[in-house]
Amino acid sequence: MPSQPPFSARVYAVVQGIPAGKVMTYQDVAEEAGSSRASRAVGTAMKNNPDLSRIPCHRVVGSDGKMRGYAAGEGEVTKMQKLKAEGVAFAGEKVNLQTSRWKGA
DNA sequence: CATTTGACAGGAA
DNA sequence: CTTCCTGCCAAAT
């Protein structure tokens, strides 16, 4: 049963594995997905986003902990509010990666 | 198979 | 601090 799951499917799996109150950078997700430099490919997958309600893409932020985009709600604004609501430590308009960065389990 | 695009990252000006 | 360029990768057309 030779099936080659697209990279995006891997990305979705990783993102779904991020617990509430934690975040990952696009690069981190890319690494977990199998490519340490596919940060752009991760963005492509997110934008494809087959299930917004199933994939917590709001837990994925840029390398500086800042949100780069969001297709749902009010966009970046809603994204930040969601993260705050889940207990993510914020540093101004950015996420405090020093405490809220999810590093595997 | 070639080209374009995209929610990135990092460095230079 | 902002803006532009380069490098990188995957999916869609």
Side-chain angles (χ1 to χ4, degrees):
Chain A
M1 49 53 73
S3 206
Q4 307 159 359
F7 187 80
S8 34
R10 269 230 160 124
V11 173
Y12 304 142
V14 174
V15 174
Q16 284 175 64
I18 305 176
K22 292 284 172 184
V23 298
M24 280 183 86
T25 69
Y26 286 91
Q27 265 192 338
D28 285 351
V29 174
E31 286 186 322
E32 289 294 302
S35 294
S36 52
R37 294 164 191 166
S39 50
R40 281 191 159 125
V42 174
T44 303
M46 295 283 107
K47 146 171 136 16
N48 264 293
N49 208 342
D51 278 293
L52 270 173
S53 22
R54 197 151 59 201
I55 302 166
C57 37
H58 59 265
R59 292 188 193 144
V60 185
V61 297
S63 54
D64 359 23
K66 187 77 168 66
M67 41 286 286
R68 295 264 167 170
Y70 196 55
E74 298 296 307
E76 307 180 353
V77 182
T78 302
K79 180 167 174 177
M80 174 172 62
Q81 291 180 358
K82 273 178 170 279
L83 293 174
K84 282 197 81 172
E86 293 187 350
V88 176
F90 262 78
E93 19 179 49
K94 295 190 296 196
V95 175
N96 187 347
L97 293 174
Q98 291 172 81
T99 59
S100 301
R101 196 180 190 183
W102 178 245
K103 296 294 265 175

